[in-house]
Amino acid sequence: MAPTTASPAAAVAAAAAISLVLLSSSVDAFAPPSSARALSVPPSRSASKPLAPPLCMNVPLPTAEGGATPEEIKSAADDAPPPASFYELQRASVRAARSAIDDGHGLLEVEFPPLPANVLEMDDVSAYDVAKANVNLALDFARSFASTESNYQVAVMLPDESECNIMLEDLKVGEAPYPGVTLTSLRRGEEGDTRIFKPENVFIGLMGRGSGGTAKPIEGTNMYVIVVASAQELPDVEELYDQIADQTGDDGESPVIVFYNLKLDVLRGDLGAPAFPGKDFQDRFLSRVKPVYYLRTRQYSRSISQPPFILNYQGCIFRSYPGHYQTLLDTGTGRYRKVVGDDVRPALGEFKEQLTDALREEGAIAKKEEEGALFGFLRTGYKTTTWWEEEREEASMEWRT
């Protein structure tokens, strides 16, 4: 379904925000608004004990071209900090994706907030503004590959032709906005089919069973970047993958598919619902998608027995391939402190508990033995994982490693 047209005021506000963001170098780019920022410890304690390592600027990362060993590259990625700006984020996400491709991975996930938290919380920023920001970022991501490798062709794909046409008109770009980069759609009609409304696509999309043969690869394309797709449209991506899995380009490599800011964890929650793909879609396909650059922030609140009685805290799961997953705690100063790192991605319930344990160590909240087992159980509940985070016999572990 095509998105609704944003109001002029919303479009202007979003365009201004995006322009500021892309030029920003503030380390607060992914932090909550200052008025709502969570403090992980009382100010007096944080003033006496530094919670974040010193920020090192302009330190080059080890690379294979520079003679670094795989162990040195992974060790540096394990300690990589979250990006300080969208410019730094783009460079890091391209570097992580390229490393994963070199290691033979063909289904990649890149996930991060497309706009700063304070912009996302504005009342006049619509879902279409977020989609537009994602397409702009995806085009820059694609251009980074097309401009650095000869004859490398990248297709940025929206779900269907109507959405693609609206985006082309709104962005005021052609189907080839940069050399080697094409902005197109997953579902494309047959040559000569000039119908504006295609009822068969609506029916197929509502059933969540793939495109019915209208998702086709583009000859000579090395990378497909999928943006703004819903759970009902993900089977189209599987259909595309089935058609290109055995293809090889002039370099002997198979084309790569990048799931770009699709919020796959949210879409997984729709699987199994009426008119959506079944849960077996996670086992069969989505579990094979490897997160290569992943930044997800989460905010929590907890009652405590002393003023201010409610403690707001937040953190993020961060991963830059080939590094491990880092659980990072927001220190309330625009910096994150690494709590723990693991090669296996933590479930969201486990991630929350890791942040809580870090606050216990700092004395911000009571320890488990002081709180009591029953009270702790009432806080967390019996089940702390979603169905797709549990051990599933038919699922791959790629999405968690």
Side-chain angles (χ1 to χ4, degrees), residues 133-331:
N134 276 325
V135 172
N136 273 314
L137 290 166
L139 289 173
D140 284 339
F141 178 87
R143 181 171 59 168
S144 297
F145 281 90
S147 63
T148 57
E149 301 185 31
S150 60
N151 299 321
Y152 202 87
Q153 300 294 316
V154 186
V156 177
M157 290 185 147
L158 287 94
D160 57 49
E161 290 176 307
S162 60
E163 288 185 83
C164 183
N165 291 336
I166 291 173
M167 194 63 68
L168 287 169
E169 182 179 351
D170 201 16
L171 295 178
K172 295 180 173 58
V173 297
E175 293 183 0
Y178 305 114
V181 178
T182 303
L183 183 58
T184 182
S185 60
L186 262 169
R187 296 177 184 173
R188 297 189 304 282
E190 298 293 338
E191 188 173 350
D193 185 357
T194 58
R195 290 177 301 162
I196 296 176
F197 177 69
K198 299 175 182 178
E200 65 273 17
N201 283 353
V202 175
F203 177 75
I204 291 170
L206 288 175
M207 294 302 294
R209 294 294 185 270
S211 72
T214 58
K216 300 181 180 67
I218 300 174
E219 186 176 353
T221 298
N222 303 92
M223 176 185 287
Y224 298 89
V225 182
I226 313 300
V227 290
V228 202
S230 68
Q232 290 175 313
E233 292 152 340
L234 288 179
D236 297 349
V237 186
E238 182 186 27
E239 185 178 321
L240 173 67
Y241 177 74
D242 289 340
Q243 297 178 69
I244 67 173
D246 297 328
Q247 292 182 1
T248 55
D250 296 336
D251 56 0
E253 301 293 332
S254 297
V256 175
I257 296 179
V258 179
F259 296 72
Y260 198 88
N261 277 358
L262 295 188
K263 293 188 175 180
L264 289 185
D265 282 348
V266 176
L267 301 188
R268 286 182 174 105
D270 293 330
L271 300 181
F276 284 86
K279 291 184 178 181
D280 63 312
F281 185 72
Q282 159 69 12
D283 303 339
R284 185 180 71 247
F285 184 63
L286 283 188
S287 64
R288 299 161 62 189
V289 179
K290 179 175 284 294
V292 295
Y293 196 83
Y294 187 87
L295 173 62
R296 180 171 184 179
T297 60
R298 302 286 289 185
Q299 299 182 25
Y300 303 102
S301 296
R302 186 185 181 93
S303 60
I304 55 178
S305 59
Q306 57 189 16
F309 302 111
I310 296 293
L311 178 68
N312 299 313
Y313 62 103
Q314 79 157 19
C316 72
I317 302 176
F318 177 64
R319 196 268 178 100
S320 181
Y321 186 90
H324 58 206
Y325 291 92
Q326 303 180 51
T327 295
L328 304 175
L329 177 66
D330 180 15
T331 64

